[in-house]
Every structure is written in structure tokens, then in C-alpha cells.
Amino acid sequence: MKTSVITITLLLLWHGMLLAQEELPLSVPNDQIKPLRSLVDTKLQMSLENQLLKNPKWKKLIDSKRMAVGVVDLRDPNKVSFARINGNHMMYAASLPKIAVLLAAMDAIEKGDLKENSEVKKDMRLMISKSDNAASTRMIDRVGYDQIEHVMTDPKYEFYDEETGGGLWVGKRYGGGGDTHREPLKNLSHAATVTQVCRYYYLLVNGKLVTRERSSQMLDILENPALHHKFVNTLNILAPDARIFRKSGSWKNYHSDSVLVWGIDKNRRYILVALIEDPAGEQIIRNLVRPVETALKTIKNYKKVN
């Protein structure tokens, strides 16, 4: 009888741990959350390059540094792997860096420097889900360029680091008007690198942006995007039941997208980021999902689902 009780207790604990792993943010122990740059996986890197470089158009864009792609394999949260092409090449990223404003706002709210009222909550959601420029500008004005830069360069995050090519930066209001505060390396107003954006989502999914509670709140804001183009257009076809957390951007020939995919099928759990400078960038981003998923399927973490 005593043995049965112990067995049942252990099973319940094990089941509880599995359920915790299904939740977002994840519940990975701190000592198992390694810096993403240390998780570059040779097999995933080769697989990603094989899939992308066989497309002549994409190869030309990659070789000329007008296309950058990053992917993080999250199928096993305890064995994360990372691959990137032109990972540290900073590009103009249009509205994608609004995620930097979101983080800076959450940091300010947590410190008591910004009041979390209904207007602020509404604007944060509009800024991310609909990429509303007016709401984004109101958030930038509330937070300020100095606060955004401070959070992006904070040693806790280092989402903008001159020694690794820059990264996430917002130094101009969306929609025109006002002063500018451009980043120092390339004088860009709205910038990103795929490595830094992958790091942002990686820390977010592990509950490490501001606090676990604020990370959860940010995930809620990023989930169920109102715009269904680029990555989301393809994912709506391939995985209509998957949870999608996303922010994209477009301006003239510059197209960007970033997504955390959390599928019911555990083989479809990953972060994907793309920055492209090309008139056909929106369609290229749509077409990236399938070859990236193929790249993921060729490495060891993939398990065929019956």
C-alpha cells in the first residue's frame, strides 16, 4: 500500500513537471538557461544553410547581406539549439523594433516610472498586434529614447551591443515628427539583427525579461497578431492550431518578421526571425517557413509523430 502511494505521488509530480513545461513562460531551471550564442548547433547551422542557399535568389541576397535569418529550436527546452545566417548584420527593421519599446515600457512600469493604466495597456497591444504607429509613438513619448537605449544596452540584456554589430534600437517616432536618436554604428532609426531578436524571444520564452510575470504579460500582448501576412500567412496554413507570438515590420524594400511558434505538435516549436532588403521581401518571408521547418526536421531532436 505504501509503495503504491509513493508511486502515485511520483507520477503526479512527474505529470506536474510535464504540464509546467507546456506552459509559457517555460520553467527551465536558471542554471540550464545558457546564453543563446553558446547554443549554436553545427548540424542545425548546416541544415539551415543547405535549405536557404540552394535558392539562387536567396543566396544572392544572403551573399550581399540583404537577407538575414535566425532560428531557435525549442522542441526540447533543455537542449535548445541556434543557427543564424548574417546573424550580427544590423539592418533597418521598420516596425519590428517596437518590441524594444514594449520591453522598455514594461521595465518602466515595473520600476514605477510609468503608470500602467488602461490607455497604456491599450496602446501596448495596438503597437504590437496591429503595429499601430500612433499608439507606438505615444508609447515612445511616454517612455523616452533614453529609457529605450538604457534597457537595450543594459548588461542584463545587451540587446544593442556595438561589439557584436549593434542590435535592437528605436530612435525615431513612427509616423514622423519629433527629435531623433539614431544608433551610433549605422545611423539607423529603427534597427535589428536576427541574433538579438532571437535572444529577445529566447529570454522571453524563459520568463527572463523584466520578471516572469512581466514576461507572461508581454507574451499575452504578442500572441494572436491581428496582421496575417509574412510568416503568419504560411503558419495559418501549416499549423492553424499553433500558438503564434509575433512582431513584423515593412517599409519600402525593407521587410522583417519575428515569430515564436508553439505548436500542439512538439516538433513545431521554434523561434524564427528574418530581415530582408528586397521588393519581394514579404513573399520571401512567407516562403521561408517551409524550408526552415525542413531544416529543423533533419536534425536529431525531430521525432516522427504517428
Side-chain angles (χ1 to χ4, degrees):
M1 180 68 177
K2 185 177 180 180
T3 302
S4 298
V5 171
I6 293 172
T7 301
I8 292 170
T9 302
L10 290 172
L11 285 171
L12 288 172
L13 286 171
W14 178 75
H15 182 65
M17 290 175 65
L18 286 179
L19 288 176
Q21 288 286 53
E22 293 297 304
E23 296 174 355
L24 293 176
L26 296 171
S27 298
V28 178
N30 285 336
D31 62 353
Q32 293 183 31
I33 302 174
K34 308 299 182 184
L36 186 62
R37 289 190 180 94
S38 72
L39 300 177
V40 173
D41 182 87
T42 303
K43 290 183 179 179
L44 179 57
Q45 184 69 36
M46 291 178 61
S47 184
L48 180 66
E49 291 177 4
N50 287 340
Q51 287 296 319
L52 270 55
L53 295 177
K54 67 183 180 181
N55 182 306
K57 166 77 170 181
W58 297 0
K59 185 178 186 304
K60 184 177 180 180
L61 289 172
I62 288 168
D63 290 345
S64 62
K65 294 190 180 299
R66 290 186 292 144
M67 179 173 176
V69 179
V71 60
V72 183
D73 181 0
L74 297 174
R75 288 172 291 183
D76 184 345
N78 296 305
K79 294 181 180 179
V80 173
S81 57
F82 174 47
R84 68 283 180 263
I85 295 175
N86 289 329
N88 291 334
H89 180 66
M90 186 168 55
M91 298 171 64
Y92 181 77
S95 290
L96 191 158
K98 290 174 182 177
I99 61 174
V101 182
L102 177 64
L103 174 57
M106 286 295 179
D107 182 80
I109 290 169
E110 185 67 20
K111 292 175 179 175
D113 296 331
L114 177 64
K115 186 176 180 181
E116 190 179 13
N117 56 33
S118 58
E119 289 82 8
V120 167
K121 289 180 179 179
K122 180 179 179 181
D123 278 349
M124 288 193 294
R125 177 63 182 171
L126 286 171
M127 175 177 69
I128 299 300
S129 180
K130 294 188 176 181
S131 203
D132 185 280
N133 283 339
S136 303
T137 293
R138 288 193 293 270
M139 289 306 305
I140 290 169
D141 290 346
R142 289 180 181 116
V143 175
Y145 295 135
D146 289 344
Q147 165 71 1
I148 297 170
E149 178 183 358
H150 173 74
V151 174
M152 292 306 103
T153 58
D154 189 327
K156 179 181 178 181
Y157 303 125
E158 294 184 333
F159 289 137
Y160 184 92
D161 179 9
E162 291 187 42
E163 293 185 3
T164 58
L168 279 167
W169 189 276
V170 174
K172 187 177 184 296
R173 300 164 96 207
Y174 287 90
D179 296 334
T180 59
H181 181 59
R182 296 174 182 271
E183 56 82 30
L185 289 179
K186 295 185 176 181
N187 201 38
L188 296 173
S189 57
H190 306 121
T193 66
V194 296
T195 292
Q196 294 288 30
V197 179
C198 284
R199 289 185 62 246
Y200 181 106
Y201 280 89
Y202 172 67
L203 290 174
L204 181 62
V205 81
N206 281 294
K208 299 303 178 183
L209 294 190
V210 188
T211 64
R212 183 175 179 83
E213 292 73 22
R214 294 298 179 190
S215 291
S216 180
Q217 188 177 354
M218 292 168 70
L219 285 166
D220 288 343
I221 292 170
L222 285 158
E223 191 169 12
N224 297 323
L227 304 178
H228 291 255
H229 55 0
K230 301 176 187 169
F231 287 149
V232 177
N233 178 273
T234 303
L235 288 164
N236 283 343
I237 298 169
L238 295 180
D241 296 327
R243 297 179 70 187
I244 302 296
F245 307 81
R246 184 273 192 117
K247 185 71 196 82
S248 70
S250 287
W251 183 75
K252 296 186 177 180
N253 289 341
Y254 294 93
H255 301 273
S256 58
D257 208 352
S258 61
V259 68
L260 162 63
V261 182
W262 198 254
I264 294 175
D265 177 356
K266 293 183 180 181
N267 289 314
R268 185 174 273 121
R269 293 183 177 179
Y270 58 84
I271 296 161
L272 177 59
V273 181
L275 303 173
I276 296 173
E277 180 189 352
D278 188 82
E282 198 274 347
Q283 187 62 51
I284 292 171
I285 291 174
R286 290 190 187 200
N287 294 341
L288 266 173
V289 176
R290 286 183 173 87
V292 166
E293 290 200 350
T294 298
L296 287 166
K297 289 178 181 178
T298 62
I299 63 175
K300 60 185 178 182
N301 286 348
Y302 181 73
K303 296 180 180 179
K304 187 175 181 181
V305 178
N306 293 325

